[in-house]
Amino acid sequence: VKLKDTAEKVVNAYGEALVELGSEREDMGVLDADLSADCGLRLFENAFSQRFIESGIAEQDMVSTAGGLALQGLLPVVNSFGVFLASRANEQIYNNATEKTKIIYVCHYAGLIPAGPGKSHQSVRDISLFGALPNCITLEPANAVETKEALIWCVNEATQSC
């Protein structure tokens, strides 16, 4: 078994997959909570600026915007850190889920992450909060390959929110 000598950057694979899918799907838009660099969204932002919505640090508003876009037949891909998206915007995500719209919620840096960001960025409730939502599939990819495949599946195959 040959071990890698460099760290894998899951966000790079995610950003590349967004651009590939964005090239194929003109109905797809990406929403960001002021974390574009941290979440690997810059490639999409630069390639499709007209389909990139910077929402600032306002996850509830971002999720509500995504709900409106989905009701108009668009496919929103919503991005923030897991700790902020799963908990802060949970009521809005629930409302969207009850409307049976398809929205992709990407909770970056879910679970326990290295100590640098501090306890406010530790997401220990994200999976349980999403698990309690109706009409929502929860996936937790483990690496760059799974991240890309999960995104492709959510965009092209899933019939409900991921």
Side-chain angles (χ1 to χ4, degrees):
V1 175
K2 183 178 178 182
L3 299 175
K4 285 185 170 183
D5 58 357
T6 59
E8 180 179 60
K9 296 283 189 178
V10 173
V11 294
N12 293 346
Y14 176 71
E16 291 165 6
L18 278 177
V19 171
E20 289 174 25
L21 290 163
S23 297
E24 300 166 6
R25 302 273 311 246
E26 291 186 13
D27 63 332
M28 190 179 94
V30 170
L31 291 83
D32 172 46
D34 200 29
L35 295 165
S36 185
D38 293 318
C39 296
L41 308 178
R42 290 275 191 242
L43 290 173
F44 189 94
E45 180 182 5
N46 292 331
F48 306 105
S49 60
Q50 71 282 7
R51 291 190 275 147
F52 181 83
I53 300 172
E54 175 55 64
S55 301
I57 305 171
E59 281 80 2
Q60 291 117 326
D61 291 336
M62 179 173 62
V63 169
S64 294
T65 299
L69 294 170
L71 287 172
Q72 296 301 312
L74 300 173
L75 178 59
V77 181
V78 177
N79 296 269
S80 186
F81 285 179
V83 68
F84 305 134
L85 189 55
S87 59
R88 285 185 185 164
N90 193 267
E91 183 177 343
Q92 289 77 14
I93 294 170
Y94 175 82
N95 288 339
N96 289 344
T98 63
E99 293 174 342
K100 298 184 180 178
T101 54
K102 181 177 172 180
I103 299 170
I104 299 170
Y105 301 100
V106 183
C107 295
H108 296 267
Y109 304 101
L112 296 175
I113 57 175
K119 68 181 181 179
S120 66
H121 287 59
Q122 306 304 314
S123 189
V124 295
R125 301 179 301 144
D126 49 345
I127 292 173
S128 63
L129 287 168
F130 268 91
L133 296 168
N135 310 310
C136 193
I137 299 166
T138 305
L139 304 170
E140 179 74 27
N143 56 40
V145 172
E146 288 182 8
T147 297
K148 181 178 179 178
E149 292 301 316
L151 181 61
I152 291 169
W153 184 83
C154 287
V155 168
N156 291 326
E157 305 295 329
T159 57
Q160 56 193 35
S161 291
C162 294

